[in-house]
Amino acid sequence: MVNPVVFESMRRLAHDLRRIREKRRRSLQAVHNETKIALELLQHFERTALYDHERYNPVYLRSFARTYASALGIDPAQVLEALELAQEGLYRNQLAVQYLGEAPLPEEGGTMPEEITAITPERPAEVEEEASRTSETPALPLSVGPGGLERLERRSQWRIGVVIVLLLAVVIGFLWWWLRPLPAPEPLPLPSPAVVPVDTGRAVLVPETTAAVASALRWVLGDTIIASVIAAFDKVDPIRIRVDNDLRRPYWIEQGDTLQLSFTQRIILEEQLNDIQLLLDGHPYPTDRRDLQGRLVITREGLQAYLDSLAR
């Protein structure tokens, strides 16, 4: 609710500030250009010091008055002191006494000069057009910034907040995608085993080579061939093996263990052949391909021929 005493005091302060500006030959347009305050607010300030304005706020008003005083070249501290008096209904004409050389009004019973009641703020030609534009859109509340007073742009601040939230969401999504654990690669299918009968009636598991894979691969033996003798079915006690031109030697292998030997041209295995599985360079080799003496004689040429037969 408007206090009539305060309202009169604020109008007297605004009237004195306008006359100080006119005496210093500063137009409202010049003040607007320097302070960036809307012309509509400047005009209303010089009528009632914004006391009856819908955007009136004591905090904003102090910043407004300080900026306005700086634009006129007068002491902002004195203007703020006068504003405090006006807000208490105690301002007489202190600024007019100091800057216009007028006599002070009496403390009690002073009334507004007649010219104040009929104040018509100046509207030079260059201001008319701007005032008509600004009057169509109500000015926003004022806030204090590094360059003086600026109008608050609530919608802009709200939009900036939304943009910041969206950017944070995009950044978090990108980081999650970048740091997410990659799925383990699917294991390659293993060849299905096929059962190959041997003389002993036991079954030896040999990986099945499909026709398509076998036709595309031809095993090439290296200079040295690795023979892996596996005691798959029972303890080997012992097996006798001759490597190339070396002597025939006995070997004892516990069930489940593997004996590895290397040869270049030939290897001969004797005794307990039914209890083993044999791998040559990692390729299963049947143990039933024996000679008339029951030995397993494997030569480089014979092994190559056997591997080539699998590729056909």
Side-chain angles (χ1 to χ4, degrees):
M1 182 176 180
V2 176
N3 185 322
V5 176
V6 175
F7 184 58
E8 179 181 352
S9 186
M10 294 286 275
R11 288 179 61 191
R12 182 181 291 114
L13 171 64
H15 172 67
D16 289 348
L17 287 173
R18 180 176 68 86
R19 291 190 296 135
I20 293 172
R21 175 180 61 78
E22 293 172 347
K23 181 179 180 180
R24 293 180 174 238
R25 301 184 182 278
R26 294 280 289 173
S27 67
L28 272 183
Q29 183 66 43
V31 176
H32 162 71
N33 294 339
E34 181 173 341
T35 63
K36 307 305 180 185
I37 299 175
L39 285 171
E40 183 269 339
L41 286 176
L42 289 171
Q43 294 161 0
H44 209 109
F45 176 75
E46 290 190 348
R47 288 197 298 272
T48 62
L50 297 181
Y51 184 66
D52 61 340
H53 195 275
E54 61 181 357
R55 302 298 186 184
Y56 171 76
N57 183 300
V59 176
Y60 297 149
L61 183 56
R62 287 180 60 85
S63 298
F64 193 114
R66 184 185 297 110
T67 304
Y68 181 91
S70 298
L72 298 188
I74 60 179
D75 187 359
Q78 294 178 349
V79 174
L80 292 179
E81 183 180 354
L83 177 62
E84 292 177 0
L85 292 174
Q87 290 173 329
E88 297 174 4
L90 301 177
Y91 179 80
R92 298 294 180 259
N93 66 336
Q94 288 88 334
L95 292 180
V97 172
Q98 182 167 359
Y99 290 100
L100 300 176
E102 297 180 357
L105 294 176
E107 291 295 327
E108 299 293 339
T111 58
M112 286 286 291
E114 183 179 353
E115 59 183 42
I116 297 179
T117 60
I119 292 176
T120 302
E122 65 171 4
R123 286 180 177 265
E126 65 271 16
V127 175
E128 288 292 339
E129 183 178 356
E130 179 66 22
S132 63
R133 289 198 301 267
T134 56
S135 60
E136 296 176 0
T137 303
L140 294 175
L142 302 175
S143 64
V144 181
L149 288 173
E150 299 173 354
R151 281 178 289 180
L152 292 177
E153 298 183 359
R154 294 176 180 171
R155 294 183 180 178
S156 298
Q157 293 175 352
W158 180 82
R159 292 172 182 170
I160 291 173
V162 172
V163 171
I164 292 175
V165 171
L166 292 177
L167 288 177
L168 287 176
V170 171
V171 171
I172 292 173
F174 175 77
L175 291 177
W176 175 86
W177 177 85
W178 182 261
L179 299 177
R180 76 190 191 285
L182 296 177
E186 296 184 1
L188 296 175
L190 298 176
S192 58
V195 178
V196 179
V198 296
D199 291 344
T200 61
R202 296 178 180 177
V204 180
L205 293 179
V206 180
E208 178 185 21
T209 304
T210 63
V213 174
S215 61
L217 299 176
R218 182 180 185 276
W219 304 111
V220 178
L221 298 174
D223 295 336
T224 300
I225 303 171
I226 302 299
S228 300
V229 182
I230 306 171
F233 306 110
D234 201 352
K235 178 181 179 180
V236 176
D237 187 22
I239 186 173
R240 302 183 185 277
I241 303 175
R242 181 176 181 181
V243 177
D244 291 327
N245 296 324
D246 193 9
L247 298 176
R248 187 180 68 164
R249 301 178 185 276
Y251 297 92
W252 288 263
I253 311 173
E254 294 294 332
Q255 183 176 359
D257 290 345
T258 300
L259 169 68
Q260 283 193 340
L261 301 169
S262 60
F263 67 96
T264 58
Q265 296 298 327
R266 183 180 65 174
I267 187 170
I268 301 175
L269 297 90
E270 303 178 49
E271 302 178 12
Q272 287 195 256
L273 299 180
N274 294 334
D275 296 326
I276 68 169
Q277 282 185 334
L278 181 61
L279 301 177
L280 300 176
D281 274 354
H283 309 299
Y285 190 87
T287 59
D288 60 344
R289 299 169 64 90
R290 307 174 190 175
D291 62 6
L292 296 178
Q293 301 178 30
R295 303 179 305 171
L296 191 57
V297 181
I298 304 170
T299 64
R300 172 181 288 276
E301 293 76 12
L303 176 60
Q304 185 66 66
Y306 170 73
L307 296 175
D308 291 345
S309 68
L310 296 179
R312 288 195 289 268

